[in-house]
Amino acid sequence: MRSVAVACAVALLLGCGKPAPPPPPPTPTATPTATPTPTPTPTPTPTATPTATPTATPAATPAATPTDVNVLTLRRPQGPEWFGLYLMGKKAGHTRAEISRERRDGAEVLVVRQETEITATVGERTVKRRQRDEKVYPARPGARLLSFRSERSGDGGDRVVTGRCQESSCAVVVEGGGGRTERSIPHPGETVEQADAARLAAARRATVQGSQLEGEQLRVRKVEDRYRGRGKMGGAGVEVEVSIVEEQEEGDRQAMRVSVADDGRILEERLGEAVVARAEPEEVARRLDRVDLFNLTRVPLPGALPRDVPGAVAYRLRGLPPSFLRDDERQRHEALPGGEVRLTVTARRPLAADPARDARRERSIPRGLEPLLGPTAETVGQIDSDAPALRSLAARLVEGEPRVYAAALRIERFVFETLQKTFGQSSDRASEVLAAGRGDCTEHALLFTALARAAGIPARPVFGLVYTRYGDQVDALYWHAWAEVKSGAEWIAVDPTFGQPVADATHLALGRGNQVDTVGLLGALQVVAAEPVPVGPAPSGGSRPGR
């Protein structure tokens, strides 16, 4: 089962109380924009006591690869394992993980439990999230998932998802927000090997592949745990040999790195430099730093940037891996000496702004984009576009408007003007956002995407960086979420948090949908230079999805 600690940290950074900073006063643009209400200046993050950071170095070639090891005979610690959870070097939480063999209903089963708690400051508010997961499998190799339970509490509300599985399906009960729903989903195909896939890959010195059900969002992930070799980890004057495993979900561009000791202990799970789960005694794991997400996650800029539309900005970046260099109609990359990248972001008046070129909603579903029109589980949350309240509202908002972009602008204006701009009070389902009537950039993008899909508009959430300046007068890029809609062959970026019918060129898109590996860029990405440049000609050949 994939680490709840890392998954919860990703949720905190990309979707759980993530700040949605207001932009500086805009300069006159071809596309009118509105400015959200200013927010308080965040309190500076105090300096934390340095901690030893393990480092991996090459080690001698290991003994012959075991051939008879399975997930039941794996060497692993007896009792729970505790981990400190670090965001950008600051300890923000802890996790407890345990795998045990038990008897339930007269049969022997393997039970996996993980519990994580994270605390961070967002503006002037303290955000907490607690996640507890349990999965149960028959205690035999190759056996399929029997049951699961996922409990979430704190920021984003309380929610419990339980499921009992038969051969081909799972009966699921979802409780939260004062309601209870029951549904049936296809069996995810998850087997007992996924209960401890990284440790199994390390023991076999091989690759372990399979499906994993994410209980919170009921999303099936295709995950690969690949043995990458041997190394040594050092810290506090001690050095141990480890096996290195890289765990990666299908579609991710960056893998989580897992270090497993020869006695079966997992010593570290690392997603880039941003999120690290490190093995610690319980009393140490529970000891936290103060984590201020505003200041901790921002990327400083050399100076102010314009927000004109049309407009273009060229950024010289360090720390952007080649796997993230994918061009589309808004963004162009150019490799520079020394590992730097020149990224040019261009915001143009869309072709669909001309009513004659705006696709009609009933004809705007390109083949292969059907998933962009229905309910899905995304990084930003559950896009439950089939919820009756969302479908009814969407129909009212776009009534009488058959064109895609024109209808999307009605929805964008509704979300911008209706949702109260608040930080650190997130909801994880679009229908919950609508009921709450408030949220940060994540909630704005989530509700907009769900309403657009309910209205028959292909839409997807986008996350990355955006320019703003707080009361401390530091020009910086902050983590942000917005959305894209598709009219004919054209993808159009809109920002319902800032009230921008066209997202300006200070929006740097780094991920879409479920590409949570973006979090791994935190702490590594640097802006060396940024300056406005002339708007070049529109790319030929139509729009590309960018995924």
Side-chain angles (χ1 to χ4, degrees):
M1 186 163 69
R2 203 172 191 188
S3 168
V4 171
V6 172
C8 197
V10 169
L12 181 68
L13 290 169
L14 290 182
C16 170
K18 175 166 47 60
T27 54
T29 68
T31 304
T33 63
T35 305
T37 304
T39 55
T41 302
T43 305
T45 303
T47 303
T49 303
T51 58
T53 302
T55 57
T57 57
T61 303
T65 302
T67 57
D68 58 349
V69 66
N70 63 55
V71 71
L72 302 175
T73 60
L74 270 178
R75 224 178 145 185
R76 61 172 67 93
Q78 296 296 314
E81 296 176 89
W82 286 86
F83 300 85
L85 183 57
Y86 294 81
L87 304 182
M88 304 282 289
K90 304 278 189 179
K91 190 188 290 186
H94 61 266
T95 192
R96 178 187 187 273
E98 185 172 12
I99 300 177
S100 60
R101 293 176 73 159
E102 303 176 8
R103 291 197 68 82
R104 293 191 180 182
D105 300 325
E108 190 173 11
V109 295
L110 191 72
V111 181
V112 184
R113 299 183 181 89
Q114 294 192 34
E115 303 173 19
T116 295
E117 181 173 327
I118 298 180
T119 303
T121 298
V122 180
E124 296 181 342
R125 186 173 184 272
T126 298
V127 175
K128 291 186 178 182
R129 169 165 286 206
R130 301 175 187 86
Q131 182 83 24
R132 178 180 298 173
D133 287 79
E134 178 185 278
K135 289 185 175 180
V136 180
Y137 313 80
R140 63 178 184 275
R144 287 156 61 95
L145 179 68
L146 279 176
S147 67
F148 59 91
R149 181 179 179 88
S150 179
E151 302 177 34
R152 182 202 67 202
S153 61
D155 177 77
D158 297 346
R159 178 178 163 92
V160 179
V161 180
T162 57
R164 296 189 67 84
C165 300
Q166 303 297 326
E167 182 62 28
S168 61
S169 64
C170 300
V172 179
V173 177
V174 181
E175 298 174 283
R180 172 189 168 96
T181 60
E182 298 182 10
R183 59 184 290 194
S184 178
I185 63 172
H187 195 290
E190 180 171 343
T191 66
V192 68
E193 283 70 28
Q194 295 303 310
D196 209 1
R199 206 161 358 217
L200 184 60
R204 289 178 174 174
R205 300 188 175 91
T207 296
V208 176
Q209 296 176 315
S211 299
Q212 294 184 14
L213 176 68
E214 185 182 75
E216 167 66 17
Q217 296 184 342
L218 297 176
R219 182 173 70 90
V220 179
R221 302 186 289 200
K222 303 294 185 182
V223 179
E224 178 179 274
D225 287 80
R226 179 179 299 176
Y227 173 73
R228 303 299 292 180
R230 299 282 288 174
K232 291 184 179 181
M233 289 191 66
V238 177
E239 191 173 64
V240 297
E241 292 191 357
V242 296
S243 291
I244 306 298
V245 174
E246 289 185 351
E247 181 171 289
Q248 192 162 11
E249 181 181 352
E250 186 178 84
D252 277 357
R253 296 152 295 181
Q254 232 180 4
M256 181 176 73
R257 181 184 174 101
V258 184
S259 298
V260 185
D262 291 344
D263 60 5
R265 291 175 298 137
I266 291 180
L267 299 184
E268 184 181 86
E269 296 175 337
R270 175 180 292 270
L271 183 58
E273 296 301 318
V275 182
V276 178
R278 187 174 300 144
E280 295 175 343
E282 178 181 355
E283 64 275 12
V284 176
R286 289 182 176 274
R287 195 180 307 142
L288 306 183
D289 297 329
R290 184 179 183 275
V291 177
D292 184 338
L293 286 184
F294 274 138
N295 290 332
L296 192 63
T297 61
R298 69 185 179 186
V299 182
L301 287 169
L305 294 177
R307 307 187 72 91
D308 301 329
V309 178
V313 177
Y315 304 85
R316 203 167 92 235
L317 306 174
R318 287 181 188 147
L320 189 63
S323 56
F324 283 78
L325 307 184
R326 184 169 297 184
D327 289 351
D328 57 33
E329 64 275 15
R330 275 180 61 95
Q331 299 190 170
R332 289 287 186 269
H333 301 82
E334 177 189 355
L336 300 176
E340 293 184 353
V341 173
R342 178 183 171 91
L343 169 63
T344 302
V345 182
T346 304
R348 297 181 177 87
R349 182 177 184 268
L351 299 176
D354 178 355
R357 305 184 72 172
D358 193 2
R360 296 181 67 87
R361 282 191 288 129
E362 62 266 28
R363 299 174 183 173
S364 65
I365 309 173
R367 182 177 299 175
L369 291 179
E370 292 83 0
L372 298 173
L373 285 159
T376 58
E378 308 278 0
T379 299
V380 295
Q382 190 78 25
I383 300 174
D384 52 342
S385 54
D386 56 347
L390 294 174
R391 294 180 67 86
S392 175
L393 174 59
R396 294 198 306 272
L397 290 174
V398 303
E399 184 177 4
E401 180 49 78
R403 296 165 299 167
V404 166
Y405 183 53
L409 293 187
R410 290 188 181 184
I411 297 172
E412 179 271 324
R413 184 53 37 179
F414 168 83
V415 173
F416 171 69
E417 293 180 348
T418 302
L419 286 193
Q420 179 186 353
K421 310 287 186 287
T422 59
F423 301 152
Q425 299 185 23
S426 70
S427 301
D428 288 339
R429 298 172 71 85
S431 56
E432 294 173 357
V433 176
L434 180 62
R438 65 181 184 272
D440 57 33
C441 61
T442 302
E443 282 69 50
H444 284 69
L446 183 61
L447 180 58
F448 172 86
T449 303
L451 287 171
R453 291 184 182 182
I457 300 170
R460 62 188 178 190
V462 183
F463 43 89
L465 298 164
V466 73
Y467 164 61
T468 194
R469 180 196 298 152
Y470 281 114
D472 60 5
Q473 300 302 303
V474 175
D475 293 301
L477 298 175
Y478 287 81
W479 292 87
H480 190 52
W482 59 101
E484 292 174 339
V485 298
K486 192 174 181 68
S487 174
E490 182 181 26
W491 279 108
I492 306 167
V494 300
D495 191 332
T497 307
F498 292 173
Q500 292 186 330
V502 178
D504 63 48
T506 72
H507 291 68
L508 281 68
L510 296 173
R512 295 174 173 89
N514 292 301
Q515 292 177 313
V516 299
D517 54 351
T518 302
V519 171
L521 299 179
L522 284 170
L525 191 63
Q526 295 179 320
V527 178
V528 179
E531 60 182 359
V533 295
V535 177
S540 60
S543 171
R544 284 175 283 179
R547 258 193 92 172

